[in-house]
Amino acid sequence: MEPVERLYLDALTEEAAVPERSLRPQLLAGARARRRPAAPTAPWAEPYAGRVAAMDALLASAVDDDWAREIVEGWTLQELVAHLAAKDGLLAASVGAPVLGPALGATDAMGRTHEVQEYERARSPEQTRRDWRAQADALCRHLAGLSPRDMATVDGIDGALGDHVLARGLETWIHTDDAASVAGIRLPHPVAAHVEPTADLCARLLPWTMLLSGIDGAGRTLHLTLTGPGGGEWMMPLGVRDAAPGDPDASITADVIEFCFLLGGRRPPETFPAELSGDLDLARDVLRTAPALSGP
């Protein structure tokens, strides 16, 4: 199986991964039959496509109780999937891909989320799942003809298309984990080849998360080491306009998966497990402000 086709549902075939109350063993054969591999797309977009396939594999196993259970932000699983469809649709609109679901009215993330959630409340959970997957697949196929260096604007944020797509992959990964945690399911992480570019995006966002939190890191440099498959080392200038890093003022070493979840707002900065050295106040500021861009 190609890495991009590694579906989370494979983990559900292991006895320890099956929760007691909802994803019953007798449902697994049907769920495996309903799973679909990632849509064909550009190689640089495969981290996103892989997370879509993983979420879809998890949804294939959901029963009525799972769809009605609150996951995050007060949203049920069905409303969470509608939220993902809404944000995928905003990126699709920015690059000229088909926008599915209700007519595009609001162009901000929460406004569009409310539109799509209202539309999907009149539909069955399985229809919502198909609508979200169709939107994600349409986006993936359109990305096959584009460059990651193309520019896109989503929710008022201008940036390289490749970064927007990695952000969609990170959010889909985070929300897949949200849903799995509520269901009591243990899922494998993405393959290292997909973790690496996601971690790189998270590292490059640190100057912006600091600035958005009221801290200007101009002239300061962070040596960031992320361990585990897909990790690496970064010498990060902490000013958004800094042209190049200098000598490191502070160093942070942490697990790459945990770091991605910190940026995604799923790990408390105050207790985040990391080795710090150099300017400890600066290192703590980096960790404290890291989730600044996370949201619903």
Side-chain angles (χ1 to χ4, degrees):
M1 182 179 295
E2 294 296 322
V4 78
E5 296 178 3
R6 257 190 74 191
L7 304 185
Y8 276 162
L9 189 57
D10 290 343
L12 303 183
T13 61
E14 300 174 7
E15 182 178 355
V18 180
E20 294 180 358
R21 63 179 181 274
S22 60
L23 302 182
R24 294 179 290 274
Q26 61 264 36
L27 296 174
L28 293 179
R32 285 195 294 271
R34 293 195 303 274
R35 69 183 179 181
R36 287 188 288 163
T41 192
W44 56 267
E46 286 181 354
Y48 164 69
R51 293 312 91 216
V52 168
M55 180 62 151
D56 196 44
L58 182 65
L59 297 177
S61 301
V63 296
D64 289 346
D65 288 348
D66 298 310
W67 285 105
R69 189 172 292 120
E70 183 177 313
I71 304 299
V72 68
E73 300 291 331
W75 295 333
T76 65
L77 180 58
Q78 183 174 12
E79 291 168 333
L80 177 60
V81 173
H83 167 67
L84 290 173
K87 295 192 71 174
D88 288 343
L90 289 179
L91 178 55
S94 179
V95 298
V99 179
L100 309 180
L104 186 63
T107 56
D108 65 289
M110 292 312 300
R112 182 58 178 168
T113 290
H114 292 149
E115 288 179 351
V116 178
Q117 286 177 338
E118 184 64 26
Y119 173 79
E120 293 296 344
R121 285 190 186 103
R123 300 164 67 79
S124 71
E126 185 59 29
Q127 287 174 316
T128 299
R129 175 198 170 204
R130 289 198 299 265
D131 289 349
W132 159 75
R133 183 65 196 256
Q135 177 64 83
D137 285 356
L139 177 59
C140 283
R141 292 188 178 94
H142 189 80
L143 293 173
L146 301 179
S147 166
R149 294 180 295 278
D150 293 340
M151 297 300 292
T153 302
V154 181
D155 199 20
I157 299 177
D158 300 325
L161 176 58
D163 286 348
H164 279 297
V165 173
L166 284 171
R168 296 301 314 126
L170 176 61
E171 181 172 3
T172 305
W173 178 16
I174 294 289
H175 284 321
T176 302
D177 187 78
D178 289 336
S181 295
V182 170
I185 298 171
R186 185 177 66 250
L187 299 177
H189 298 309
V191 295
H194 295 176
V195 172
E196 184 176 7
T198 305
D200 180 69
L201 171 69
C202 291
R204 290 186 286 108
L205 287 176
L206 292 176
W208 294 99
T209 59
M210 291 185 69
L211 190 63
L212 284 172
S213 302
I215 300 176
D216 187 352
R220 313 300 297 279
T221 295
L222 172 71
H223 180 207
L224 176 66
T225 302
L226 299 178
T227 61
E233 290 192 51
W234 290 260
M235 198 68 73
M236 295 296 307
L238 292 176
V240 297
R241 294 180 178 85
D242 289 349
D247 294 331
D249 298 285
S251 297
I252 296 175
T253 300
D255 177 80
V256 64
I257 301 296
E258 293 299 302
F259 181 75
C260 290
F261 274 72
L262 173 69
L263 269 287
R266 295 303 187 270
R267 298 293 185 267
E270 299 78 13
T271 57
F272 185 73
E275 296 178 13
L276 312 181
S277 61
D279 186 334
L280 298 184
D281 288 337
L282 176 62
R284 293 188 187 104
D285 282 342
V286 170
L287 295 178
R288 178 176 58 82
T289 61
L293 283 168
S294 65

